[in-house]
Amino acid sequence: MNDLVRQHTALSDSDLEWLHLLVSEWQLLSDLSFADLVLWVPTLDGTRYVSVAQMRPNTGPTSYQDDMVGHLVPRGRRPLLDAALDEGRIVREGDPEWREEVPVRVESIPVRREGRVLGVIARNTNLLTVRTPSRLELTYLQSASDLAQMIAAGAFPFPGEQVDMDSSPRAGDGLVRLDADGFVQYASPNALSAYHRLGLAADLVGQHLGQITAELAPSRGPVDEALVKLASGYAPREFEVEGNGGVIQLRAIPLKPKGTRIGSLVLLRDVTELRRRERELITKDATIREIHHRVKNNLQTVAALLRLQARRMDSDRGREALNEAVRRVGSIAIVHETLSQNLDERVEFDEIADRVIAMVAEISPGKVSCRRNGRFGILDAEVATPLSMVLTEVLQNALEHAFAPGEQGTVEVTAVRGESRADARLLITVRDDGRGLPEGFDPQRAGNLGLQIVRTLVEGELGGTFDMLPGAERGTKVVLDIPVQPQK
C-alpha cells in the first residue's frame, strides 16, 4: 500500500498512516457486512482511482475471485465512487452488478480524516446466498452500518489505538451489542458460552455487562469500577477478565454513528486454554533455565573438587591432567550458565568463545596473547556445548605446545559464518606464530588425548571436519568446518 499511495496519489505520510490504521481494523467491517471491501484512492491528477487494499469476509462468500490491489479505474466509470468522494456521504443507490453470473450489491463509504475525504471503500456483497436474516445477522448488519457511518464521519478507526488483529477477538469469536447505558441488547451464542465459562448461569440479554463482568471476575476489594466502565464499552479498550477458572479476552468499541454514543460493540473470545498453555510454557522455560543453572553449579563444584585434588598431587603429570580436566568441565559450565539466562535453547556463542579464551589463557602467564576475530553468531545448545570443548582443547594445545616457557607469541581465533541457507557453515581458524608442527606429524593419527577429543566431537557430534596445517610463514593453523543452522 505504501508504494501504491506514494506512486499514484498526493496523500501525506499522516494520511497514509490513517489508511494503515483503517486497514488494520476493517476486517471487522468486512465480517459484520458479509462483504468484500476495496479501498480506492484518487490519483494525483484526479482522473483515476487506484485500489490500494482489499479485504474478504470470513463470514460469507467473496464477490471478487481476483486480487484487486493495484487496479486503476478512470473517474466516471464507477459513479458510486464519484458520488461518495464528491459528496462525502455513503452511497447505496443503484441496481446490483452482475459478475460471472453472481449478483453483487455495491456501496461506497467515504474515508474521512480531519474533514477531508482521503478515499472511498467499495463494499461489495454477494447476493447469491441471501436468505431471511437471523437475529445475529441483523445485529451484524446494524453494527456494520454504524461503523460505516463512523468511517464516513472520520470517527473510526480510533486514533492512537493500535490493535493486533492476529490476537484481538473477531466478530465470529463472540459479539455483544450494548445500548447506551451498557445493557446487553444481543449476545451471540459464542459470547454466551464464553460468559458461561466465567460462571454465568443466566442469559446475558438484559444484563448490565459491566456489572455482571465485575461480579464474575471479582477482585479482593470492592467491585472494580474501572472494569465496570471497560466492559460497559464507554471507551475503545482491549482487556482480559478471569474468573471461575476461565479467561475471556474482550474488546470494546463505542458506536457513535452521528457523533453521539448510541451503544457499544463488545467482541470477546474464550482464551482459557491459550492462557493455560502459555503458563505451562512459562513454567517449562523456567524449569529448563533452573536445570541449566543447577547443571552449571554442579559442574563448577566438580571443577573445584578436581582443582583441590590437583593441589594435593605430587606428580606433575597428574596435576596437569587434573588441571586440563578442570578447563574441560569449565567450558561446559560456561555454556550451561549462558543457557540458564536465555528463554530458548540457543546461545550467542561469541560471549562463550571470549570466556573460553580467557579461561584457557590463564595457563600462559601474560607471555602469549589470545584474541578473537569475526562472529560465531547464535548457535543451538547441541552445537554450542561440544564446540566450546573443541575450542578449549585447540587453544590449550596451542598454548602448551606452540611456545617455549616464557616465550612471547600470539594465538588468533577467527570465525566466518555463512549468511545464506546454501552456505550454512561455520569456518573456525585458530592460528599461532609458535614453533610449528613436528616433522612427520599427522593430526588424524596423533594419539594426544586432546586431539582425540577434538576429532571425536567435530566429526562425530558436530558432523564437521578438522585439520592441522603449517602456518603460512611460521606456526600452526587449525581449521574447523562445521555445519550450522542458517542465521535468522
Side-chain angles (χ1 to χ4, degrees):
M1 185 166 73
N2 287 355
D3 293 340
L4 289 171
V5 168
R6 288 168 179 156
Q7 179 182 355
H8 295 285
T9 77
L11 297 182
S12 65
D13 288 343
S14 58
D15 293 334
L16 178 58
E17 188 62 32
W18 181 264
L19 296 184
H20 274 293
L21 188 60
L22 172 66
V23 168
S24 71
E25 294 273 25
W26 71 345
Q27 179 72 66
L28 175 61
L29 178 62
S30 178
D31 290 346
L32 293 176
S33 304
F34 309 97
D36 291 73
L37 305 179
V38 179
L39 177 57
W40 297 92
V41 179
T43 58
L44 183 61
D45 57 10
T47 61
R48 296 180 295 176
Y49 298 96
V50 58
S51 58
V52 298
Q54 178 179 1
M55 178 58 65
R56 293 185 174 89
N58 294 317
T59 52
T62 183
S63 302
Y64 285 111
Q65 298 298 327
D66 300 327
D67 185 6
M68 295 297 296
V69 176
H71 282 216
L72 290 164
V73 174
R75 184 177 173 87
R77 180 174 296 180
R78 301 195 176 184
L80 297 185
L81 294 181
D82 298 340
L85 183 68
D86 296 339
E87 301 173 22
R89 64 179 179 89
I90 298 176
V91 181
R92 296 189 175 92
E93 299 86 355
D95 297 327
E97 297 180 3
W98 287 84
R99 301 175 188 165
E100 299 180 358
E101 300 182 353
V102 175
V104 177
R105 182 176 64 243
V106 181
E107 304 166 83
S108 294
I109 304 167
V111 177
R112 191 183 302 273
R113 175 180 179 265
E114 297 180 352
R116 296 180 298 112
V117 178
L118 307 182
V120 179
I121 295 176
R123 181 163 55 177
N124 304 267
T125 306
N126 187 325
L127 300 178
L128 200 60
T129 58
V130 170
R131 61 185 186 279
T132 303
S134 64
R135 179 75 188 279
L136 181 145
E137 290 170 330
L138 288 173
T139 303
Y140 272 32
L141 293 172
Q142 180 57 53
S143 301
S145 177
D146 293 336
L147 286 177
Q149 292 183 56
M150 292 171 64
I151 291 173
F156 187 84
F158 302 107
E161 188 198 18
Q162 194 68 37
V163 177
D164 183 1
M165 294 308 298
D166 292 333
S167 60
S168 184
R170 299 193 177 191
D173 297 325
L175 179 143
V176 176
R177 174 82 186 220
L178 306 179
D179 65 14
D181 297 320
F183 287 91
V184 178
Q185 295 178 316
Y186 174 79
S188 71
N190 284 346
L192 187 58
S193 296
Y195 266 82
H196 284 168
R197 187 71 175 263
L198 286 181
L200 179 68
D203 193 2
L204 267 177
V205 176
Q207 303 267 18
H208 190 281
L209 190 67
Q211 293 177 359
I212 199 68
T213 302
E215 291 171 5
L216 293 171
S219 60
R220 293 185 179 181
V223 174
D224 190 341
E225 294 296 333
L227 180 57
V228 174
K229 285 285 187 182
L230 286 174
S232 299
Y234 284 96
R237 293 288 186 275
E238 189 168 316
F239 57 99
E240 287 187 6
V241 295
E242 183 171 354
N244 195 41
V247 184
I248 293 181
Q249 182 183 14
L250 300 97
R251 183 190 175 201
I253 302 172
L255 297 176
K256 303 176 181 179
K258 296 182 180 179
T260 303
R261 182 174 169 275
I262 63 168
S264 302
L265 203 60
V266 178
L267 308 179
L268 56 94
R269 178 172 57 178
D270 184 349
V271 293
T272 305
E273 292 303 313
L274 179 62
R275 296 296 177 260
R276 181 184 63 81
R277 293 194 191 101
E278 287 178 351
R279 288 172 184 144
E280 287 179 351
L281 288 173
I282 292 172
T283 303
K284 179 181 177 182
D285 288 340
T287 302
I288 291 173
R289 288 199 297 272
E290 179 63 21
I291 289 172
H292 285 303
H293 182 70
R294 294 188 181 187
V295 169
K296 182 263 297 183
N297 288 344
N298 290 338
L299 289 171
Q300 288 179 338
T301 300
V302 171
L305 292 173
L306 291 173
R307 193 178 294 110
L308 186 63
Q309 186 66 38
R311 291 172 184 164
R312 294 175 177 268
M313 292 288 293
D314 296 329
S315 168
D316 291 340
R317 292 187 62 186
R319 187 183 305 110
E320 182 56 35
L322 287 176
N323 286 331
E324 288 181 2
V326 167
R327 286 189 286 272
R328 288 165 184 152
V329 172
S331 66
I332 302 174
I334 291 173
V335 176
H336 282 282
E337 181 180 2
T338 305
L339 287 169
S340 70
Q341 301 168 2
N342 290 352
L343 294 177
D344 55 18
E345 291 291 287
R346 308 192 72 188
V347 295
E348 178 64 64
F349 196 80
D350 295 314
E351 178 185 350
I352 294 174
D354 291 340
R355 293 180 63 180
V356 166
I357 291 171
M359 179 184 67
V360 177
E362 291 177 359
I363 68 174
S364 177
K367 299 295 184 180
V368 179
S369 63
C370 299
R371 62 173 180 263
R372 172 179 63 87
N373 294 321
R375 293 191 68 250
F376 290 84
I378 297 175
L379 298 176
D380 293 334
E382 56 264 28
V383 174
T385 301
L387 182 57
S388 67
M389 286 195 65
V390 168
L391 194 57
T392 300
E393 296 298 333
V394 172
L395 288 170
Q396 188 168 292
N397 186 72
L399 291 171
E400 286 184 356
H401 302 293
F403 305 97
E407 184 181 2
Q408 294 185 351
T410 302
V411 177
E412 184 178 69
V413 179
T414 303
V416 178
R417 183 160 180 176
E419 297 294 335
S420 66
R421 186 173 295 275
D423 186 29
R425 305 190 71 82
L426 178 61
L427 184 65
I428 305 168
T429 306
V430 181
R431 292 184 177 87
D432 67 69
D433 54 3
R435 67 186 68 171
L437 295 173
E439 188 71 28
F441 179 81
D442 184 357
Q444 303 302 329
R445 297 177 180 271
N448 179 292
L449 176 60
L451 292 182
Q452 288 182 15
I453 292 174
V454 171
R455 283 198 302 268
T456 301
L457 292 177
V458 172
E459 297 172 1
E461 288 198 33
L462 297 175
T465 60
F466 156 73
D467 200 4
M468 293 183 72
L469 307 167
E473 298 180 1
R474 58 174 297 182
T476 305
K477 178 172 70 174
V478 177
V479 180
L480 307 171
D481 190 354
I482 301 169
V484 293
Q485 291 293 324
Q487 299 219 62
K488 296 181 180 179

